[in-house]
Amino acid sequence: MGKRLMVIGCGGVAGVAIHKCCQNSEVFEELILASRTKSKCDRLAEELTKVSKTKIITRQVDADDASQVEALIKETRPDAVLNLALPYQDLTIMDACLATGTDYIDTANYEPEDITDPAWKKRYEERCEKLGFSAYFDYSWQWDYEERFREAGLTALLGTGFDPGVTSVFAAYAKKHYFDRIDTIDILDCNGGDHGYPFATNFNPEINLREVSAPGSYMEDGKWIEVPAMSIHREYDFAGVGRKDMYLLHHEEIEALGRNMPEVKRIRFFMTFGQSYLTHMKCLENVGMLGTKAIDYEGHKIVPIQFLKALLPDPASLGPRTVGKTNIGCIFTGEKDGKQRSIYIYNVCDHQECYKEVGSQAISYTTGVPAMIGAMLVTQGIWKKPGVFTTDEFDPDPYMEALNKWGLPWQVEEDPTLVP
Ligand code: NDP
């Protein structure tokens, strides 16, 4: 039976997920597109209703206000809500889902917009002290909903983008089919794309810059080890892309995999960056442009990073200009049948191919496709169980099949070059 999905947010990632839902109109019979700026939903609805059987309605919503989301869910009765707004709205949308008995899906874990909020800060400082990583985002806020979702018989699927998302499905797949015991996981995120601008971010600049300017961290023997931002550098030769510099970052799937696969001895995450990106970022950071606290400027309140966002190219506009490929995947080492084994499971995605298909670059594409897949598996009841889960906590096989079918084919390389 066809499903009705509400998508909140209508930016770069949502644009792709909505295109993919419309390609999959047998599953997604109806979509409710709701965002802060309704005209973006209207434009997409107009374009897609010409080419898809999926029926689309559009609404304005401020998802910072749970009661607005709740009213909209009550009015339109979706089978699930796919949150593709910002991590700031995760909790309000989860509250609205709980209040209305609706399943919840997102691609990024909660972080607050205002990191000076005393209630948040107190808990954050306790967590830094207890766990040893200082990123502003973590799963604890959403894992706190576990009992309420379980008791209500609802599913919350967290982090079904590429990383996190597909990378954790790769981990579950490796565990199921390739290893008796996984010892190490290195998640590699390589973007070999070139958009021709001196500086731009591939997804929401505020979220992106907050993530990459934070200290790096990894997990070893169940403990977090934190290092200064960009202080661990490696080079890697990526299939389809070539040699790239990559840097160790803190990333949210380390936390979920560390909890759900405690037998893994070390989990790290690396992302590639060009020198120009790093120089620009350092400069912006040094002059205070990455600040998240409002300053007073000639009688106006201005949040530096939000002002910067207004100056930078909109990630959704990079599509036509970006050429090259991404290669994102995980290197696993461990043991199978008493022998050491290592594999790299990865996807290569071409920016221009994505643009031809859905009018967007590969970063939004590699996030939007898994968002659609997660929503499909939850609404079809294939990935449905009461509680709050990340993507490594379900059977990976239907997800892996869907990746091949919906535009993100993956490969397994035996005995890959390992990252020192
Ligand atoms: P964009 O900034 O392009 O889009 C965000 C959208 O959310 C915009 O349409 C925006 O509205 C809307 N929005 C923001 N605040 C509200 C609100 N209060 N109420 C309703 N709508 C709101 O971001 P992206 O598409 O690049 O990213 C979307 C999400 O995907 C983020 O959470 C990001 O962290 C995540 N992501 C996950 C990845 C993964 O691999 N797991 C990779 C990349 C991104 P408006 O148009 O009015 O500004």
Side-chain angles (χ1 to χ4, degrees), residues 152-410:
L154 295 173
T155 301
L157 175 62
L158 309 184
T160 177
F162 205 106
D163 44 335
V166 176
T167 47
S168 298
V169 176
F170 285 170
Y173 189 77
K175 183 173 170 163
K176 182 172 175 186
H177 297 286
Y178 282 86
F179 290 93
D180 298 325
R181 192 194 69 234
I182 297 179
D183 291 333
T184 67
I185 305 177
D186 276 336
I187 303 158
L188 311 187
D189 179 332
C190 163
N191 179 11
D194 182 5
H195 44 59
Y197 286 117
F199 186 72
T201 63
N202 292 299
F203 68 97
N204 183 283
E206 194 175 330
I207 305 298
N208 183 234
L209 291 166
R210 275 169 78 151
E211 175 179 289
V212 302
S213 58
S217 66
Y218 60 99
M219 202 175 246
E220 196 155 52
D221 297 322
K223 295 205 168 55
W224 286 97
I225 297 170
E226 188 161 89
V227 296
M230 305 292 163
S231 61
I232 298 187
H233 162 243
R234 301 281 186 271
E235 226 186 68
Y236 200 79
D237 196 0
F238 289 93
V241 177
R243 284 199 94 72
K244 288 275 168 197
D245 289 319
M246 59 184 194
Y247 298 83
L248 183 133
L249 293 188
H250 173 82
H251 223 248
E252 60 197 72
E253 59 268 61
I254 303 176
E255 193 187 0
L257 290 171
R259 182 187 81 156
N260 299 332
M261 299 188 183
E263 68 280 12
V264 180
K265 293 190 185 76
R266 192 189 65 204
I267 311 173
R268 301 183 297 185
F269 180 98
F270 291 91
M271 191 178 272
T272 63
F273 294 101
Q275 203 47 54
S276 165
Y277 181 97
L278 294 179
T279 309
H280 276 82
M281 195 185 76
K282 198 73 215 157
C283 173
L284 291 166
E285 189 181 11
N286 286 343
V287 297
M289 281 303 288
L290 303 189
T292 56
K293 205 172 161 189
I295 57 151
D296 207 52
Y297 178 73
E298 294 187 349
H300 300 280
K301 288 263 178 253
I302 294 179
V303 178
I305 199 164
Q306 285 174 3
F307 182 68
L308 175 65
K309 183 184 176 207
L311 294 175
L312 289 174
D314 178 357
S317 73
L318 299 177
R321 328 171 33 110
T322 309
V323 292
K325 293 187 168 95
T326 61
N327 176 324
I328 318 176
C330 306
I331 298 177
F332 301 96
T333 69
E335 202 178 273
K336 178 76 176 170
D337 300 330
K339 288 197 200 102
Q340 277 300 115
R341 179 176 217 182
S342 56
I343 60 168
Y344 183 37
I345 313 184
Y346 66 98
N347 160 263
V348 173
C349 193
D350 185 298
H351 285 284
Q352 281 298 301
E353 293 296 320
C354 298
Y355 186 67
K356 268 188 240 152
E357 188 196 321
V358 298
S360 112
Q361 33 82 0
I363 303 303
S364 302
Y365 190 91
T366 52
T367 311
V369 172
M372 180 282 283
I373 292 173
M376 173 177 75
L377 296 180
V378 170
T379 54
Q380 287 190 312
I382 300 169
W383 271 23
K384 171 113 185 95
K385 51 187 180 183
V388 175
F389 304 98
T390 44
T391 56
D392 49 291
E393 296 181 90
F394 292 91
D395 178 8
D397 293 355
Y399 199 108
M400 294 294 274
E401 244 173 67
L403 287 170
N404 281 333
K405 179 168 175 192
W406 292 103
L408 293 175
W410 44 272

